[in-house]
Structure formats: structure tokens, C-alpha cells
Amino acid sequence: MTEDYFWGLTLSKDHSSEIWDPDMKSPGGPDANDSHALRGEHTLVVKQAVLGPKCTDGEVNVVQAEAMGYKSDIKFPIAVLKGGSQSQAVLDLLFPDPPVTFKLIQGNGPVHLLGNHSVGSGEMVGEDDEDDELEDELDEEDMDDLEDIPERNSIDEKKRKLQQATNSKPKSKKAKTEDEK
């Protein structure tokens, strides 16, 4: 089961870098008394980058993300926004593992990043209960009956269908050619 929360951050000349790490203990960050602290796996989906209204016309703002990749950390620009012409970018970036560092590497901003922060417990609620009930309903006799049913798409079944197809060849129709018309 997952819980989804709206997420956002603002990068500017004065605050050019921020780390998304819900597991990090910090003053004002999650602590043991917080009901949302450390209760599952966290993922972040960044959906949009938007320039603030105070951005200078013609100024190029570049936002970079640094995150864990498959074999090593990766660092790439995720949005390039120009004041007065391109004031927003639609993104669909999934960051399945914290930490992720966002940096304004060019321009003065402000640039707002918006998305969803999902917290998953790692277990499916109700799945085990349904499986247990199903097992209780099927007793040994029902299980024996299921064993007698031939396996669907088994090799023997495929061979039988192939043999039937080769024994009953369809009659071919003769195609008319230009000369016969």
C-alpha cells in the first residue's frame, strides 16, 4: 500500500541546491515522533519545472539532478528554462531511491520543481488474508480434481493440434491471373 503526497521545492540564487532524502535525520526533518518518519520505501516523481514570476527575461536557468543510477551515480540537467519564452517544462522523472540532489547550475531562478512523494509500506494489505481464505475453501478433494485437468497448452496438446492440421489440408483456390480475365 502506498500513500502519495504533493512535493515541491524552490531553487534560486540564494538557495541553489537541495537534497531530497526523507530518511535523513535533520533539525526540522523527520524524527521518531513523526507519524510519517521512516515507515516504508520512498519514491519521488518530478512532474514539472516552473520559472517563478520574478525571473529575468532572456535568462537561461538550468536545473540538474544527481541520483543513484544502475552502476554509479548520475548527474544530468533535467530542465532548461528561459525567462520570457519557456517558463515551464513538463517532466516525468522517477527517482526510486533517495537521496537526490537538485541544483540550479545556471541562472538566478526562482525555479519551482513539483511532483509526488510516495511512501510504500512494502507489503500488500489484504493479499495474505485472501490467499489463506482460498486455501481453506479448497480441500484435498478439490486439489485432486484440479490435478486431473490436462495442462493447458501442453506439448502433447500442441503435437495433437499440429497433426490434425497436417491431416486436413485446406483446398487451395486458384487465383485468376490477368490473362484469364
Side-chain angles (χ1 to χ4, degrees):
M1 185 170 144
T2 61
E3 295 178 16
D4 295 311
Y5 301 95
F6 179 75
W7 171 89
L9 69 87
T10 300
L11 300 173
S12 65
K13 177 176 77 171
D14 299 328
H15 184 76
S16 63
S17 178
E18 187 162 328
I19 298 172
W20 175 75
D21 189 354
D23 295 329
M24 182 171 40
K25 301 248 181 192
S26 63
D31 61 29
N33 296 328
D34 186 357
S35 65
H36 298 297
L38 307 173
R39 60 177 180 192
E41 295 187 20
H42 298 270
T43 58
L44 178 67
V45 178
V46 179
K47 294 289 207 176
Q48 191 172 28
V50 180
L51 276 179
K54 296 181 181 177
C55 184
T56 308
D57 282 354
E59 180 181 63
V60 176
N61 291 270
V62 180
V63 177
Q64 172 182 284
E66 182 176 354
M68 290 191 302
Y70 175 63
K71 293 188 178 185
S72 63
D73 288 351
I74 56 172
K75 189 187 303 188
F76 283 100
I78 60 169
V80 178
L81 305 169
K82 186 174 182 180
S85 63
Q86 183 185 6
S87 60
Q88 67 178 343
V90 176
L91 308 170
D92 191 17
L93 301 171
L94 171 66
F95 296 99
D97 298 308
V100 180
T101 303
F102 297 97
K103 290 183 182 177
L104 182 63
I105 60 172
Q106 183 177 331
N108 295 315
V111 178
H112 308 285
L113 298 177
L114 309 168
N116 295 8
H117 174 186
S118 296
V119 182
S121 63
E123 60 185 53
M124 300 298 286
V125 175
E127 288 289 320
D128 291 336
D129 296 338
E130 290 175 14
D131 289 343
D132 290 342
E133 288 175 17
L134 182 59
E135 286 177 15
D136 290 342
E137 289 176 17
L138 294 174
D139 60 4
E140 287 184 19
E141 290 176 21
D142 292 334
M143 297 302 279
D144 290 339
D145 291 344
L146 288 176
E147 289 174 4
D148 294 339
I149 298 172
E151 197 175 307
R152 200 172 182 185
N153 295 327
S154 68
I155 295 173
D156 293 333
E157 181 72 14
K158 288 179 183 178
K159 285 180 183 177
R160 186 182 61 76
K161 286 181 180 179
L162 183 61
Q163 179 133 13
Q164 284 178 349
T166 55
N167 289 341
S168 59
K169 294 181 183 176
K171 296 178 183 177
S172 61
K173 293 182 179 177
K174 184 177 179 183
K176 289 186 178 180
T177 60
E178 293 277 332
D179 298 336
E180 293 178 349
K181 289 183 181 178

